[in-house]
């Protein structure tokens, strides 16, 4: 809990798992990524690479930088088109003892991808970022601004 108090709140010091998920029916996923868990600190938390195709689908390489109240995601070469599905995106599951997010907004000024208004959903302490059907290149990126609840670290 000391790391949380020292940073004045936000996501610093929280444990988070990032995985990739794609489905048309949540009971029958098309792709389930292996997931990586880290503690949010300074710098880039995740550098996802291809994992190996499942049903012809693989991870689009990205970096994810999480700060106290912001998440920035940048796509890496070579670029391409993301699978169109009911959900195809990134799942960030934070370890917290309460509903961690009061509000999440897409920072359009700092994003060059056309994320849908409903692309980001929150369920408890988990963010779902749906990028289904979008094209991306090595310079594609988006940013999310977060209103973070005052939760204790687990």
């Amino acid at each position: 809990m000391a790391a949380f108090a020292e940073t004045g709140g936000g996501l610093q010091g929280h444990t988070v798992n990032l995985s990739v998920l794609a489905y048309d029916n949540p009971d029958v996923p098309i792709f389930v990524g292996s997931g990586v868990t880290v503690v949010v600190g300074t710098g880039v938390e995740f550098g996802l690479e291809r994992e190996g195709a499942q049903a012809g689908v693989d991870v689009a390489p990205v970096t994810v930088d999480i700060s106290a109240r912001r998440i920035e995601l940048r796509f890496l070469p070579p670029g391409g088109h993301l699978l169109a599905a009911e959900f195809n995106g990134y799942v960030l599951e934070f370890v917290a003892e309460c509903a961690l997010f009061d509000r999440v907004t897409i920072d359009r000024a700092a994003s060059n991808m056309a994320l849908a208004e409903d692309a980001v959903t929150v369920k408890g302490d988990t963010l779902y970022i749906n990028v289904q059907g979008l094209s991306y290149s090595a310079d594609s990126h988006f940013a999310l601004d977060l209103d973070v609840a005052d939760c204790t670290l687990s």
Side-chain angles (χ1 to χ4, degrees):
M1 192 144 140
F4 186 74
E6 290 170 10
T7 63
L11 298 176
Q12 298 290 336
H14 277 279
T15 300
V16 59
N17 178 275
L18 172 65
S19 61
V20 177
L21 177 64
Y23 61 78
D24 281 319
N25 174 345
D27 295 329
V28 187
I30 299 165
F31 185 92
V32 178
S34 58
V36 178
T37 301
V38 301
V39 174
V40 177
T42 58
V44 172
E45 275 70 29
F46 300 102
L48 292 185
E49 299 290 336
R50 298 201 182 278
E51 293 183 9
Q54 297 175 29
V57 177
D58 202 350
V59 172
V62 295
T63 61
V64 180
D65 185 5
I66 303 170
S67 61
R69 291 179 171 76
R70 186 173 178 89
I71 296 173
E72 296 180 356
L73 190 141
R74 294 189 174 278
F75 285 83
L76 302 172
H81 190 76
L82 299 164
L83 175 74
E86 181 179 328
F87 182 88
N88 177 21
Y90 303 94
V91 179
L92 290 112
E93 183 177 2
F94 291 84
V95 176
E97 294 183 8
C98 69
L100 190 56
F101 303 103
D102 292 328
R103 187 174 61 149
V104 178
T105 55
I106 301 166
D107 181 347
R108 299 282 180 196
S111 303
N112 67 3
M113 295 184 76
L115 292 176
E117 287 299 322
D118 63 351
V120 182
T121 57
V122 177
K123 293 181 185 170
D125 58 2
T126 304
L127 289 177
Y128 296 86
I129 305 168
N130 194 352
V131 294
Q132 69 89 20
L134 296 175
S135 293
Y136 68 96
S137 67
D139 68 343
S140 295
H141 58 274
F142 61 86
L144 306 175
D145 290 324
L146 312 164
D147 287 343
V148 181
D150 190 16
C151 293
T152 59
L153 291 174
S154 296

